[in-house]
Amino acid sequence: MQAQRSGTLDQHDRPPRRRRSRWHWLWKLPVLLVVVSVLQVLVLRVIDPPFSAYMAGRQLEAWAGNGPERIDYAWRDWDAIAPALPLAVIASEDQNFARHRGFDFDAIEKARAHNARGGRTRGASTISQQVARNLFLWSGRSWVRKGLEAWYTVLIELLWPKQRILEVYVNVAEFGDGVYGAQAAARRFYGRDASALDWTQSARLAAVLPSPRRYSATRPGPYVQRRTQAIQRQMRQIGGEAHLRQLD
């Protein structure tokens, strides 16, 4: 009897199984988020986004009766957009776009110093940061959102060529209330395709970008008119459409 017991372990003699904590999977969550975000950015390098996170948010607002009647959006490839528009948004939003790697630290420092003096608040977001924010994130302000914006900006700069970043930007930027992208804006405001936009029209679209629900590309007030003229001067000063060759 004793020998039989020594050959087999009694149920009570077996070491107790360690119970898994219900939170054991938490360490995997950051890894999963990293993998998903990398896959998102890789896929959208070659596939044109059918919508952006901002568009989805605005659509929810519309269904709730607090947004535009409809979202106007139509993708156009780089070659189907007049070069004047990407040039205008570079001149207006991010003149160091071709040189920086997602963050313009000189512009950030200048904006910080300007804002410390008071007056109109100046931002320093690059085009890459704006693509990250518009395409993947929600509207609002929080440290979590800023951190995710920085992460997606790094991924976009690592995994996309500059021309792709700018192509996506001019397709998902909001140029009017519920009007997203070059084609929708060109058709809505000027009755033409994005490929036919001239310098003045392109500069005016870029001029409303800081607040497209407040300013109008078709009924420009004094601020938009002044800004349009300033953008056109900057378009010439940075080298005109030849400037876009730096993105190749």
Side-chain angles (χ1 to χ4, degrees), residues 94-95 147 169 220 243:
D94 188 2
Q95 293 188 18
Y169 180 70
H243 179 84

Side-chain angles (χ1 to χ4, degrees), residues 90-125:
I90 288 176
S92 171
E93 300 288 299
D94 188 2
Q95 293 188 18
N96 292 323
F97 174 68
R99 296 187 293 275
H100 65 62
R101 299 306 301 170
F103 306 95
D104 189 340
F105 294 104
D106 289 339
I108 291 171
E109 177 56 29
K110 290 177 181 177
R112 187 200 63 77
H114 171 85
N115 296 338
R117 293 193 295 268
R120 183 188 293 270
T121 300
R122 177 186 297 176
S125 292

Side-chain angles (χ1 to χ4, degrees), residues 11-236:
Q11 181 178 1
H12 297 291
D13 295 331
R14 293 173 184 171
R17 291 184 179 180
R18 296 178 61 186
R19 290 187 177 181
R20 283 189 174 185
S21 166
R22 68 178 65 182
W23 308 112
H24 74 279
W25 52 268
L26 275 180
W27 68 270
K28 300 178 182 178
L29 187 57
V31 176
L32 178 62
L33 292 176
V34 167
V35 171
V36 169
S37 60
V38 170
L39 288 176
Q40 279 181 300
V41 175
L42 280 174
V43 166
L44 292 179
R45 172 176 174 146
V46 295
I47 296 177
D48 302 328
F51 60 91
S52 70
Y54 266 35
M55 292 180 209
R58 292 290 280 161
Q59 185 63 68
L60 291 175
E61 291 178 11
W63 288 339
N66 299 320
E69 293 183 1
R70 65 186 180 93
I71 300 298
D72 198 351
Y73 170 62
W75 177 274
R76 286 296 181 274
D77 291 335
W78 178 265
D79 294 336
I81 299 172
L85 183 59
L87 177 64
V89 299
I90 288 176
S92 171
E93 300 288 299
D94 188 2
Q95 293 188 18
N96 292 323
F97 174 68
R99 296 187 293 275
H100 65 62
R101 299 306 301 170
F103 306 95
D104 189 340
F105 294 104
D106 289 339
I108 291 171
E109 177 56 29
K110 290 177 181 177
R112 187 200 63 77
H114 171 85
N115 296 338
R117 293 193 295 268
R120 183 188 293 270
T121 300
R122 177 186 297 176
S125 292
T126 63
I127 286 173
S128 303
Q129 288 176 272
Q130 293 181 57
V131 169
R133 183 166 60 238
N134 293 348
L135 195 56
F136 298 109
L137 303 176
W138 62 94
S139 60
R141 296 179 181 274
S142 69
W143 287 110
V144 171
R145 181 177 169 278
K146 291 298 291 184
L148 289 172
E149 178 186 312
W151 170 245
Y152 274 108
T153 299
V154 170
L155 289 182
I156 287 169
E157 283 282 346
L158 284 174
L159 301 176
W160 293 2
K162 286 286 187 177
Q163 182 174 297
R164 177 59 172 175
I165 297 173
L166 192 57
E167 178 186 36
V168 172
Y169 180 70
V170 296
N171 271 286
V172 302
E174 188 176 20
F175 292 103
D177 191 15
V179 181
Y180 290 89
Q183 177 66 10
R187 296 299 300 171
R188 174 78 68 89
F189 302 135
Y190 303 120
R192 59 178 61 189
D193 287 331
S195 60
L197 289 168
D198 62 28
W199 270 46
T200 300
Q201 293 164 342
S202 297
R204 190 172 292 166
L205 288 175
V208 304
L209 281 174
S211 187
R213 301 173 202 175
R214 175 182 177 186
Y215 302 122
S216 171
T218 52
R219 299 184 301 277
Y223 169 78
V224 172
Q225 292 179 19
R226 290 194 304 271
R227 186 168 167 80
T228 298
Q229 294 169 1
I231 291 171
Q232 287 183 281
R233 289 194 299 271
Q234 292 296 318
M235 291 165 70
R236 290 189 290 269

